Amino acid sequence: QPQLVIIGDDNAINLLAPRISAHGTPVVYLGMNGNPRRTNLYGLKNMTGVLERPLMKRNIREMGELVPHARQALVLFDGSEVSMTAIDEEFRGRNSLMLGPITVDIRLLSNFESWQQSVLQAKAQGYDMIFIGLYHTLRDVQGLYIEPEQVASWTGEKTPLPLFSFWDFTVGPKQACGGLVMSGAIQGDAAATLAEAILAGQSAHALPPRTASRGDYWFSHAALSRWNLQLPADMARQAQWTD
């Protein structure tokens, strides 16, 4: 008989939140990429939460200014429901678009071999930079699960182009250079604020869903140096560093 339940990730939220709230238990969700109005959560009175809205388009535009003469960017995600929801929210389901002078191609991949080929062939296919999103459901050709850490480290080691990210957990000396990224800590802090208010007596219904901070600049000195990239002064002043 918990006083409140906190749930993270679109899959868990959509599967469990209505069931839990049906018993009258307040629910706070976080890390939700989807739109509550398009799900079975809409209208449930004892539920509120934190929406996750990575600024992917702004990230691509700004990181494109770091890479000399960047004109083509490749964006890689796994084929999970969470990835598809994030892409749909930010890019309206399109797999190719223009962001200023940069042509952006988006690929949703279900297996690690396809991911590896996309990375290794990116430079030969005319891309100037790679962005990686979520890669937590990739499997090999035998259907065996690939650990996310293996995907991130392999991609960071083998990329033939500057590598950027949408989430902070991919930034590091041997991984992505950085980007305007989302942080799980920011999501958790916002969810905790809602939970405290509910436990203090406020109704979840009176606390509308909110969007946490839209991102922070996170970078790796070593990864930037590898590609001889320099941050503009204003971005460097705001940046947080992993090394």
Side-chain angles (χ1 to χ4, degrees):
Q1 298 294 318
Q3 291 178 276
L4 179 143
V5 174
I6 298 177
I7 304 178
D9 178 81
D10 289 66
N11 287 335
I13 295 165
N14 292 326
L15 288 169
L16 296 176
R19 188 186 312 175
I20 295 170
S21 67
H23 292 284
T25 303
V27 172
V28 174
Y29 56 78
L30 72 157
M32 185 176 190
N33 291 284
N35 186 335
R37 292 180 177 272
R38 301 178 187 173
T39 70
N40 56 357
L41 307 181
Y42 188 62
L44 296 178
K45 293 185 177 181
N46 56 343
M47 183 182 307
T48 187
V50 185
L51 305 175
E52 187 174 61
R53 296 290 183 266
L55 292 177
M56 298 183 194
K57 289 186 283 191
R58 178 180 163 189
N59 193 1
I60 294 170
R61 284 194 294 265
E62 293 192 6
M63 297 308 108
E65 295 176 3
L66 305 183
V67 179
H69 313 296
R71 289 296 179 268
Q72 292 195 73
L74 177 63
V75 175
L76 300 178
F77 274 78
D78 62 23
S80 66
E81 182 178 341
V82 176
S83 291
M84 289 188 283
T85 300
I87 292 297
D88 184 59
E89 284 294 319
E90 182 73 358
F91 299 112
R92 298 296 182 263
R94 290 175 292 176
N95 57 19
S96 185
L97 67 156
M98 291 292 299
L99 293 177
I102 301 177
T103 300
V104 181
D105 293 329
I106 303 158
R107 296 181 189 173
L108 294 166
L109 306 168
S110 58
N111 66 76
F112 191 34
E113 285 74 14
S114 297
W115 180 283
Q116 291 173 307
Q117 289 302 309
S118 293
V119 171
L120 294 174
Q121 296 172 5
K123 185 174 183 178
Q125 292 175 346
Y127 294 105
D128 303 298
M129 53 201 305
I130 300 174
F131 288 79
I132 56 175
L134 301 173
Y135 42 84
H136 298 70
T137 65
L138 293 175
R139 297 180 180 272
D140 64 17
V141 291
Q142 283 78 39
L144 298 176
Y145 179 67
I146 305 295
E147 293 291 341
E149 294 78 9
Q150 179 182 346
V151 178
S153 61
W154 183 93
T155 306
E157 178 185 353
K158 300 295 185 181
T159 178
L161 297 168
L163 183 68
F164 298 95
S165 177
F166 301 120
W167 277 273
D168 62 346
F169 50 74
T170 312
V171 181
K174 296 183 179 180
Q175 299 185 47
C177 296
L180 179 62
V181 301
M182 291 298 300
S183 165
I186 293 172
Q187 288 277 310
D189 184 69
T193 300
L194 290 171
E196 286 181 328
I198 294 170
L199 293 174
Q202 291 194 52
S203 166
H205 186 59
L207 299 167
R210 62 190 61 184
T211 300
S213 166
R214 300 303 298 269
D216 294 305
Y217 292 111
W218 277 70
F219 291 98
S220 162
H221 286 292
L224 287 171
S225 296
R226 174 184 174 185
W227 301 104
N228 196 29
L229 300 179
Q230 297 289 329
L231 300 187
D234 59 336
M235 189 180 294
R237 283 192 296 268
Q238 301 176 62
Q240 300 181 57
W241 300 90
T242 62
D243 58 285

